Amino acid sequence: MTLPKPGSSERTQLNRMRERAVDDRTALYEVLDSNILCHIALSIDSEPVILPYGYTRDGDRLLIHGSSGARFMRLMAEGAPVCISVTELTAIVVARSTFNSSMNYLSAVIFGRAVEIAGEAKARALEIVSDGFLPGRSSEVRASTKKELAATIVLSVPLDEASLKIREHGVEDEPEDIGTGVWAGLIPLTRVAQDPIADDDESRQLPVPESVRAFIAKPKA
Amino acid sequence: MTLPKPGSSERTQLNRMRERAVDDRTALYEVLDSNILCHIALSIDSEPVILPYGYTRDGDRLLIHGSSGARFMRLMAEGAPVCISVTELTAIVVARSTFNSSMNYLSAVIFGRAVEIAGEAKARALEIVSDGFLPGRSSEVRASTKKELAATIVLSVPLDEASLKIREHGVEDEPEDIGTGVWAGLIPLTRVAQDPIADDDESRQLPVPESVRAFIAKPKA
């Protein structure tokens, strides 16, 4: 199967940023796999609406789930055009001027239309979503009930039209600002998962499960 | 001045989440003040487009800046309807079923139209933006030049139509899942600013500035 390269569509080149557009599907997938929060926009009556959702990448698609009672989910399931953004800030770039100050970041933007996953594939797709959040969690818990499956919409968004922009370098000051006695540098940002908090007496007596340990070792947000 | 309450418009009630809609402007401002990354959506030719931006809250408005060469910024400056989302994940909620697993979060969503800030007010607005990222930074660096001001668009978005949703409680398991030997709990997530990295020899010989120390003491992302 041949996939278009990320960044190859006109829409994904909308923004005139000086930052590097990364034409590399492996790098796109790495960014998608190290995050779990995306922002999804729809155009409703020609006006934009955004909501945050969790997601999991599964091969060449994103999986998103939500309540079948949510209008936003139903509009996506009906095939409305969506734009999805996944952004990770990695540093504050402190320059010698406010103009040259910036942020280092990883930014994936995906355009497409969702397809609803129904029937036999739905329960498996939800397990993949769950394991994307907490590796292996689906095998630690019971299967979803029919009622739970009915209350959930699962959507697949193809990663055909996607762009990745990365800023990961240091300060870019004006030559005349250097030597003026002003500090410049980076403040790296990281996300940290703290020790898990068991929710009840039963859980306090059980070992912390593998899925939770795996998440803490490599937290996503 | 009387402000509409957050969450009071029909659009901000679009999503049928069980989570708490917070009808409290102080809480909205706290969430906006403890983050710097927002996602902005526009509807362009009736299709949604999202991009990530930094922002600063200034009273009852958000300030956003970007390149005057960016089409996205120009469309906002022209008064296109915008939707802005600020989301902070605070914990992974690990339930005894995938269905009841969730995330704790703070989610602000703002609808409105931007107004461009020009003339005398522009330089001051950019200082407020800069100080929103790094407290007091604007007084540590030189003023912006006319050329820098011309290369930048500064936008103000009123916080009149805004909603805040918060999930900050523990696991909600089905009664029949409790006592089945499955661990349930929370994994708290935090953002951490690491030690600053001076960018060059000059900066390595200077003390880390107050603005950077203030950021590290209370990091935003």
Side-chain angles (χ1 to χ4, degrees):
Chain A
M1 182 163 55
T2 309
L3 289 166
K5 286 182 183 172
S8 61
S9 87
E10 194 182 327
R11 282 194 296 189
T12 58
Q13 294 170 3
L14 258 184
N15 195 34
R16 210 200 68 157
M17 286 196 280
R18 281 177 309 167
E19 283 73 42
R20 185 163 62 104
V22 180
D23 224 23
D24 175 343
R25 192 145 283 256
T26 305
L28 172 71
Y29 288 178
E30 274 177 20
V31 171
L32 295 176
D33 292 351
S34 60
N35 288 276
I36 48 177
L37 175 71
C38 71
H39 284 82
I40 306 181
L42 297 179
S43 175
I44 302 179
D45 300 329
S46 293
E47 300 211 357
V49 180
I50 310 188
L51 285 178
Y53 278 90
Y55 73 88
T56 292
R57 182 182 73 86
D58 177 44
D60 57 358
R61 62 185 187 168
L62 291 190
L63 297 178
I64 293 152
H65 76 299
S67 165
S68 47
R71 184 183 171 206
F72 200 87
M73 287 299 294
R74 290 200 308 270
L75 289 169
M76 283 198 281
E78 288 162 10
V82 299
C83 182
I84 302 176
S85 174
V86 174
T87 310
E88 183 179 340
L89 291 186
T90 56
I92 306 292
V93 180
V94 186
R96 290 176 174 85
S97 60
T98 58
F99 183 77
N100 287 319
S101 294
S102 184
M103 297 180 196
N104 277 350
Y105 63 86
L106 311 164
S107 168
V109 176
I110 297 130
F111 294 93
R113 291 170 194 266
V115 174
E116 185 170 359
I117 300 177
E120 292 288 305
K122 186 170 178 177
R124 178 65 196 132
L126 278 170
E127 289 176 357
I128 294 169
V129 168
S130 177
D131 291 347
F133 297 155
L134 295 167
R137 184 62 177 166
S138 68
S139 64
E140 296 171 350
V141 298
R142 62 167 173 78
S144 294
T145 65
K146 281 184 185 176
K147 191 177 164 189
E148 288 170 347
L149 289 174
T152 307
I153 291 178
V154 190
L155 302 170
S156 162
V157 177
L159 293 168
D160 296 342
E161 190 181 350
S163 71
L164 179 64
K165 290 212 173 93
I166 295 178
R167 190 198 192 282
E168 57 184 357
H169 52 279
V171 178
E172 295 179 300
D173 267 318
E174 307 303 323
E176 59 267 29
D177 288 335
I178 295 168
T180 57
V182 180
W183 188 93
L186 297 182
I187 312 173
L189 296 170
T190 50
R191 48 183 61 143
V192 173
Q194 295 176 294
D195 287 342
I197 302 167
D199 198 62
D200 47 36
D201 285 341
E202 181 187 18
S203 298
R204 273 185 284 276
Q205 290 166 19
L206 291 167
V208 173
E210 276 305 307
S211 64
V212 174
R213 291 176 188 277
F215 179 90
I216 290 170
K218 204 173 176 182
K220 304 177 179 186
Chain B
M1 182 165 53
T2 309
L3 288 167
K5 287 183 184 173
S8 60
S9 87
E10 195 182 327
R11 280 194 297 189
T12 58
Q13 295 170 0
L14 257 184
N15 195 35
R16 213 200 67 156
M17 286 195 280
R18 282 177 309 166
E19 282 74 41
R20 184 162 63 104
V22 181
D23 223 23
D24 175 343
R25 192 145 284 255
T26 305
L28 172 70
Y29 288 179
E30 273 176 20
V31 171
L32 295 176
D33 292 353
S34 60
N35 288 276
I36 48 177
L37 176 70
C38 71
H39 285 81
I40 306 181
L42 297 179
S43 175
I44 302 179
D45 300 329
S46 293
E47 300 211 355
V49 180
I50 309 189
L51 285 178
Y53 278 91
Y55 73 89
T56 292
R57 182 183 71 88
D58 177 44
D60 57 359
R61 61 185 188 169
L62 291 190
L63 297 178
I64 293 151
H65 76 299
S67 166
S68 47
R71 183 183 170 206
F72 201 87
M73 287 299 294
R74 291 199 308 268
L75 289 169
M76 282 199 280
E78 289 163 8
V82 299
C83 182
I84 302 177
S85 174
V86 174
T87 310
E88 184 179 340
L89 292 185
T90 57
I92 306 293
V93 180
V94 186
R96 290 175 175 85
S97 62
T98 58
F99 184 75
N100 287 319
S101 293
S102 184
M103 298 182 196
N104 277 351
Y105 62 86
L106 311 165
S107 167
V109 176
I110 296 130
F111 293 94
R113 291 171 194 266
V115 174
E116 185 170 359
I117 299 177
E120 292 287 306
K122 186 171 180 178
R124 178 64 196 135
L126 279 170
E127 289 176 358
I128 294 169
V129 169
S130 176
D131 291 347
F133 298 155
L134 295 167
R137 184 60 177 168
S138 68
S139 63
E140 295 171 350
V141 299
R142 63 167 174 76
S144 294
T145 65
K146 282 184 184 177
K147 191 176 164 187
E148 288 170 347
L149 289 174
T152 307
I153 290 178
V154 190
L155 302 171
S156 162
V157 177
L159 292 169
D160 296 342
E161 190 181 349
S163 71
L164 179 64
K165 289 211 176 95
I166 296 179
R167 189 199 194 283
E168 55 183 0
H169 51 278
V171 177
E172 294 179 301
D173 265 319
E174 307 304 323
E176 59 267 30
D177 288 335
I178 296 170
T180 57
V182 179
W183 187 94
L186 297 182
I187 312 173
L189 296 170
T190 50
R191 48 181 61 142
V192 173
Q194 296 176 294
D195 287 341
I197 302 167
D199 198 61
D200 48 37
D201 285 342
E202 181 188 17
S203 298
R204 273 185 283 275
Q205 290 167 18
L206 291 167
V208 173
E210 275 305 308
S211 64
V212 173
R213 290 176 188 276
F215 178 90
I216 290 169
K218 203 173 176 182
K220 304 176 179 187

